[in-house]
Amino acid sequence: MPTNGFNRALKLQFGLINYDSRYLTAEAFGFKVNASGVSMKKKQIWTLEQDEKDGQVVFLRSHLGRYLASNKDGKITCGAEKPDPDSRFLIVPQSDGRWALQSEPYLRYFGGSADYLSCFAQAIGEQELWAVHLALHPQASLLSVARKRYAHLSASDGEISVDSNIPWGVHSLVTLVYLDGKYSLKTCDSRFLSNDGKLVKENTNTTSFTLELKSGKLAFKDSDGKYLTPVGPTGTLRSGRCSKPGKDELFDLEESHPQVVFQAANKRFVSVKQGVSISANQDVETDMETFQMEIDKESKKSMFRTNGGSYWTLVTHGEIQSTATEVEVNTMFDIEWRGQRVALRASNGKYVCTKKNGQLSAVSDAVGADELFLMKLINRPMLILRGENGFVCHHKNSNTLNANRSVYDIFSLIFNDGAYHVKSVNGKFWYVSRSGLVCSDGEKPEDFFLEFLEHGRVAIKSSDGKYLRGDQGGTLMGDGTTVDVSSLWEY
């Protein structure tokens, strides 16, 4: 976790598009590199790493874990497993947002097309310019580097304010929308940020920004060459006066964990309002009833974090309290997915139940009504799914969905008593057809169930108990019988 951040900063992964609108591609065979990719799939994704001693120097790592390099004659290779002197590049940003990549040892520029790539140009021409297409999941939290505060929608002021200590609740979710090499910032109520700080319904020139990178941080440059910056006491996000990005204009994107609300069998919300005890005794959902679900990468167990930054933990006599400041064995819970409800098992092997006074305790050996909870995801009203082969998107000419696209569609996620309805852009609903296809033109909604099984990944189950998966042809199917890489989705 970054020192000033609440969550982990996202690794910057992207595609590089040349003047011919083709993506830089790393082939598995012979570790060859070309600029022939027509869209951004796995082979077209590059990870930016920075030199620890010199922040200006970057390394470009392919999906195979090999590093792009150029020798003194400008010959390009991508076979080295560790960065060496020939893999050192400098990013030279251009006014239109594109990058030139300069070999640091030889000061020549990288460019070309198809199989003819080299790093021998002495000056930057059209062939040496690359547009940057971010490959990370586009929903994240936005952290101001200078203010150490998070951006959130301030609906009453009609602006994005950068004054949150933690990225809590749906208002802290920012969606990056990519169009023609530019990025827009979309709020959870589907409005776009304009460079004057206002929120507008339409995506236009004033809501489009080019991305720039400076020492691993992001800056957003508007069409007038000015940069987004937090302004005034509430940190209103708008374009400032600067035409060069300083610390005030830099941002980190942090991963946005699922945040959930629990309702117990007594129909009341689980809360930390009463102090350290975790208790189901509230009738309204506030930040005190919202918990961040963090899934351990190794054990796949879940931790629940409060808005004060502490974790649920098992204490003596099975009681659940919010007293842990570090993750350890007693802060980890197994979630059992039981259709519209979940059961939680603590590290003592017992199920968490709601006592008569609302207090949560891990004392039960079996699951009955008191051990079941309604769990509602609150910070994904807009759903963007990315599978192993790309994003989920409407098929151009039919009612089916693709699961292998480099662009995404934004779907609406509507909660329904422990299940979810998925609404398409056209206002129609997702359903699974008799032949197992997921279709997007349903007149009435069908229940789907979200199972958060891995860090950053969700499995989606249809009402007949089958999992949604991307098939070999790139179609979204609703016929998966087990959970594997084809049925786990970044969300």
Side-chain angles (χ1 to χ4, degrees), residues 444-460:
K444 59 178 199 292
E446 196 167 288
D447 281 349
F448 291 92
F449 302 97
L450 302 187
E451 299 182 357
F452 301 92
L453 300 178
E454 288 188 12
H455 183 102
R457 302 280 188 284
V458 67
I460 303 173

Side-chain angles (χ1 to χ4, degrees), residues 308-325:
S310 61
Y311 290 93
W312 290 19
T313 187
L314 176 70
V315 296
T316 47
H317 311 305
E319 198 177 323
I320 308 296
Q321 293 189 347
S322 62
T323 49
T325 52

Side-chain angles (χ1 to χ4, degrees), residues 142-179:
L142 192 65
L143 175 71
S144 160
V145 173
R147 295 204 180 199
K148 298 183 179 171
R149 293 288 182 276
Y150 289 91
H152 66 98
L153 168 66
S154 175
S156 55
D157 301 325
E159 64 175 37
I160 295 179
S161 308
V162 187
D163 61 356
S164 265
N165 290 325
I166 52 171
W168 215 251
V170 68
H171 291 132
S172 296
L173 185 72
V174 173
T175 303
L176 290 175
V177 179
Y178 177 79
L179 190 67

Side-chain angles (χ1 to χ4, degrees), residues 217-484:
K217 310 294 181 196
L218 294 174
F220 297 87
K221 186 167 76 169
D222 72 11
S223 52
D224 301 325
K226 305 290 193 230
Y227 291 84
L228 282 183
T229 186
V231 176
T234 60
T236 304
L237 194 57
R238 54 171 302 166
S239 291
R241 294 195 200 94
C242 291
S243 45
K244 271 210 173 122
K247 195 176 179 186
D248 287 337
E249 288 73 38
L250 295 181
F251 296 89
D252 251 335
L253 284 176
E254 284 186 8
E255 66 178 324
S256 170
H257 290 275
Q259 292 180 346
V260 296
V261 169
F262 288 102
Q263 194 177 29
N266 63 8
K267 296 282 185 259
R268 307 189 83 182
F269 295 112
V270 173
S271 177
V272 288
K273 202 166 196 174
Q274 57 289 324
V276 295
S277 289
I278 308 280
S279 208
N281 60 7
Q282 295 299 313
D283 297 317
V284 288
E285 299 170 34
T286 71
D287 287 353
M288 296 274 199
E289 291 71 47
T290 303
F291 301 100
Q292 179 159 292
M293 188 159 82
E294 300 177 11
I295 299 173
D296 182 60
K297 284 183 176 165
E298 271 67 58
S299 69
K300 313 276 197 279
K301 292 176 190 286
S302 294
M303 286 84 71
F304 298 102
R305 203 170 181 187
T306 71
N307 70 331
S310 61
Y311 290 93
W312 290 19
T313 187
L314 176 70
V315 296
T316 47
H317 311 305
E319 198 177 323
I320 308 296
Q321 293 189 347
S322 62
T323 49
T325 52
E326 298 290 323
V327 168
E328 38 98 12
V329 67
N330 284 338
T331 63
M332 297 204 182
F333 295 82
D334 279 307
I335 301 182
E336 288 187 8
W337 305 96
R338 294 172 170 250
Q340 291 175 279
R341 299 294 183 267
V342 297
L344 303 175
R345 203 165 62 216
S347 57
N348 63 359
K350 305 279 190 186
Y351 288 100
V352 175
C353 80
T354 310
K355 291 180 150 178
K356 291 273 184 286
N357 63 358
Q359 169 64 47
L360 299 199
S361 279
V363 292
S364 302
D365 292 316
V367 176
D370 289 339
E371 289 75 31
L372 289 174
F373 295 89
L374 177 77
M375 187 175 92
K376 177 168 83 166
L377 176 70
I378 63 123
N379 63 337
R380 288 294 184 283
M382 295 187 285
L383 188 68
I384 295 171
L385 294 175
R386 183 165 78 164
E388 60 167 340
N389 296 313
F391 287 104
V392 172
C393 198
H394 285 104
H395 188 277
K396 283 195 177 78
N397 309 316
S398 78
N399 64 347
T400 62
L401 295 152
N402 293 126
N404 63 350
R405 300 282 296 278
S406 59
V407 292
Y408 49 82
D409 278 328
I410 298 176
F411 301 96
S412 301
L413 193 65
I414 300 153
F415 184 71
N416 177 45
D417 190 33
Y420 296 85
H421 300 153
V422 186
K423 195 153 110 181
S424 293
V425 185
N426 59 11
K428 302 286 176 70
F429 292 95
W430 284 19
Y431 64 96
V432 180
S433 73
R434 286 203 183 117
S435 57
L437 288 160
V438 180
C439 302
S440 62
D441 61 346
E443 292 297 334
K444 59 178 199 292
E446 196 167 288
D447 281 349
F448 291 92
F449 302 97
L450 302 187
E451 299 182 357
F452 301 92
L453 300 178
E454 288 188 12
H455 183 102
R457 302 280 188 284
V458 67
I460 303 173
K461 210 183 222 180
S462 66
S463 47
D464 65 357
K466 299 275 179 42
Y467 288 100
L468 268 53
R469 66 178 184 92
D471 74 1
Q472 288 305 308
T475 301
L476 187 65
M477 304 294 293
D479 61 359
T481 50
T482 56
V483 172
D484 59 26

Side-chain angles (χ1 to χ4, degrees), residues 89-116:
F89 287 91
L90 301 167
I91 295 171
V92 185
Q94 305 300 298
S95 58
D96 63 1
R98 287 188 292 177
W99 290 357
L101 291 167
Q102 187 179 30
S103 160
E104 194 234 13
Y106 310 116
L107 301 177
R108 301 292 179 105
Y109 294 97
F110 170 57
S113 63
D115 292 325
Y116 305 102

